[in-house]
Amino acid sequence: MSLYAVTNPATGETVKAYPTATDEQIHAAVTTANAAFKAWNRTALADRVKLLGRVAELYTERRDELAAIITREMGKPVFQAQIEVDIVASIYRYYAENGPTFLEDEELEVAAGGTAIVRKDGLGVLLGIMPWNFPYYQVARFAAPNLMNGNTILLKHAPQCPESTLAMEQIFRDAGAPEGAYANVFATNGQVADIIADPRVQGVSLTGSERAGSAVAEIAGRNLKKVVLELGGSDPFLVLDSADLDQAATHALFGRFGNTGQACNAAKRIIVADAVYEQFVEKFVGAVTSVKVGDPTEADTFMGPLASAAALDGLAEQVDDAVAKGATVLTGGGRLEQPGSWFQPTVLAGVTEDMRAFSEELFGPVAVLYRVSSEDEAVELANNSAYGLGAVIQSTDPAKAAEIADRLDAGMVYINEAPGTAAELPFGGIKRSGVGRELGRYGMDEFVNRKLIRTAK
């Protein structure tokens, strides 16, 4: 069985398999990327702008084709897949439009007189290790700013996403990227370790699990390589007693069950004030039970299958553990008995600290409800996690929402909306959710040489 293969999670059918790279191919890819860097890092900013702008245009032109690929690869409902492509186009366009400004020299005041500037230069070849849940988006937020910086990109994508991987590589080729500026490698884990250790590779960015992040960080640390890690999350969604409950229920639905719940920044722990708990639960559970689960190629399907049989098995074990230890199932609770990797949209209540669902990330369509008696209890519960990616606050009291936001241990806080993303907004977390930031101007600051140029008076 090939490591890289398209297996449609809606049916369980393996569509096509792809061979992994040989060691010789890996060595050649690094060599080519390193040679490309020496030219690309000296390429005029106008040429980088032109490349990223054309990449954005090609994503838009190929929107339906690209969406169909990831629906087939990982089961994303097609209308959500189309939205992902739109977001990706906006990211490449954003860095084409704003990258030159972000790279402008910074002038420093010098006590001794003379001048000093800080100039941002690319570092070199970067390895991106990307996950399957947002096959295009995760790559774009790594590749776009770093190509603008003058770095070159090697992409090691998730084994279940070879078709989308090749489609992205083709887009760069068609956009006129120099050979080696952006290239895919169907690498094994052992080959990934070799790439990170290669002295020509200057950094690695990973989006994925804690386990993968720890392994990559260990190898990078031994080889003194810069890393950016975007890992797991168990994001709280706080419904204060001042919340608009209809709006809160809608935001919680989209925030938890979008992408079939397979998002690191999904609203996984819904913490509700006692005074509005019963009303919110009625609205939220009603919304969840009305979700259309079905064929992800149909435009009105909201929730498709989980991305793989392994993901299905892992989520089912976590839910079964909670139920066996006394959690209450308000709706759903188990697999859908049909071919493919299907799980019911599920809401749990009564989850306690002895259950895996309390401390582990639930990467699928399972929401956990908590009832709290005060804002202090809500904040304490929200912060009682090894993760610190994002958080949501629902409240019609702006001052109170701002106060609660200041008290949350999170890299991102959204007020009165579902958790989301935008090209101009920084994305990243604290604690075991990772290190570093992507997107916005911060996304261009991770893999650059801030070179001081000092001239005496």
Side-chain angles (χ1 to χ4, degrees):
M1 180 178 178
S2 175
L3 178 65
Y4 287 86
V6 177
T7 299
N8 188 335
T11 64
E13 175 194 7
T14 297
V15 179
K16 187 175 181 180
Y18 297 79
T20 54
T22 64
D23 290 345
E24 291 76 17
Q25 288 171 326
I26 295 292
H27 178 78
V30 176
T31 298
T32 304
N34 187 54
F37 167 72
K38 295 173 184 178
W40 183 245
N41 195 43
R42 294 290 170 256
T43 297
L45 289 183
D47 291 333
R48 301 183 203 174
V49 167
K50 181 179 179 181
L51 174 66
L52 295 189
R54 183 57 183 149
V55 168
E57 291 173 352
L58 289 173
Y59 270 95
T60 299
E61 291 172 12
R62 300 175 187 181
R63 180 178 189 255
D64 291 344
E65 171 192 343
L66 294 169
I69 289 172
I70 58 175
T71 295
R72 182 164 55 249
E73 282 183 332
M74 50 77 61
K76 191 186 297 284
V78 67
F79 86 92
Q80 296 178 34
Q82 291 167 341
I83 291 171
E84 179 176 341
V85 176
D86 293 340
I87 292 171
V88 167
S90 76
I91 292 171
Y92 285 107
R93 191 177 306 113
Y94 174 82
Y95 284 107
E97 294 172 352
N98 295 282
T101 299
F102 297 155
L103 288 172
E104 288 177 354
D105 291 347
E106 178 186 358
E107 296 184 8
L108 305 179
E109 293 186 11
V110 184
T115 64
I117 62 171
V118 172
R119 178 162 296 159
K120 296 177 182 178
D121 271 337
L123 287 180
V125 182
L126 304 178
L127 173 65
I129 304 172
M130 296 296 143
W132 46 261
N133 57 331
F134 292 93
Y136 302 125
Y137 162 72
Q138 306 282 8
V139 174
R141 66 188 197 184
F142 161 66
N146 284 304
L147 285 165
M148 178 55 68
N149 279 333
N151 297 310
T152 54
I153 303 299
L154 289 176
L155 174 66
K156 188 277 178 196
H157 216 320
Q160 69 197 80
C161 296
E163 192 176 355
S164 56
T165 299
L166 295 175
M168 286 185 282
E169 188 176 44
Q170 187 64 48
I171 281 177
F172 275 96
R173 189 176 296 120
D174 293 345
E179 183 182 5
Y182 177 100
N184 164 68
V185 287
F186 284 150
T188 66
N189 289 343
Q191 289 169 332
V192 165
D194 291 340
I195 295 171
I196 297 171
D198 192 305
R200 298 169 295 178
V201 174
Q202 301 304 313
V204 56
S205 179
L206 175 140
T207 298
S209 67
E210 272 189 87
R211 179 182 57 79
S214 296
V216 165
E218 181 180 359
I219 299 166
R222 285 201 307 268
N223 291 280
L224 300 178
K225 303 294 176 71
K226 171 71 184 289
V227 296
V228 167
L229 303 174
E230 198 272 279
L231 308 178
S234 188
D235 289 8
F237 183 103
L238 281 65
V239 183
L240 305 187
D241 56 14
S242 56
D244 177 326
L245 297 184
D246 289 324
Q247 175 181 273
T250 298
H251 290 163
L253 176 71
F254 282 89
R256 185 63 196 105
F257 294 96
N259 204 39
T260 315
Q262 300 167 120
C264 53
N265 65 328
K268 299 185 176 82
R269 297 180 295 141
I270 302 176
I271 300 169
V272 187
D274 180 72
V276 297
Y277 182 83
E278 298 295 346
Q279 294 170 273
F280 175 81
V281 169
E282 181 180 0
K283 293 176 184 293
F284 178 59
V285 173
V288 173
T289 57
S290 70
V291 162
K292 179 182 176 181
V293 181
D295 183 349
T297 66
E298 295 181 358
D300 63 342
T301 294
F302 182 78
M303 207 183 93
L306 285 166
S308 67
L312 173 65
D313 291 342
L315 184 68
E317 289 172 4
Q318 291 170 309
V319 171
D320 289 347
D321 171 79
V323 173
K325 293 175 180 174
T328 301
V329 176
L330 300 182
T331 188
R335 305 167 188 253
L336 288 170
E337 297 303 326
Q338 61 190 63
S341 303
W342 299 85
F343 199 89
Q344 298 170 321
T346 296
V347 180
L348 299 178
V351 169
T352 55
E353 293 194 37
D354 62 323
M355 302 173 188
R356 293 175 57 190
F358 185 89
S359 57
E360 296 180 4
E361 180 178 24
L362 300 177
F363 212 66
V366 179
V368 179
L369 290 175
Y370 295 93
R371 186 173 193 160
V372 293
S373 60
S374 67
E375 291 168 358
D376 287 344
E377 185 182 356
V379 171
E380 181 180 5
L381 178 57
N383 290 339
N384 185 10
S385 172
Y387 299 106
L389 187 55
V392 171
I393 300 168
Q394 299 287 321
S395 172
T396 58
D397 182 340
K400 178 59 66 178
E403 175 197 335
I404 298 297
D406 282 344
R407 297 171 63 189
L408 294 177
D409 298 338
M412 306 173 287
V413 180
Y414 294 86
I415 297 174
N416 290 332
E417 61 179 337
T421 188
E424 69 276 11
L425 301 179
F427 192 105
I430 60 173
K431 300 195 284 190
R432 297 191 71 82
S433 288
V435 293
R437 290 294 182 272
E438 296 178 300
L439 296 179
R441 67 180 307 126
Y442 302 91
M444 288 191 62
D445 287 342
E446 294 290 350
F447 294 104
V448 287
N449 173 20
R450 295 175 181 85
K451 183 189 294 181
L452 172 67
I453 302 176
R454 164 81 170 114
T455 303
K457 65 178 181 179

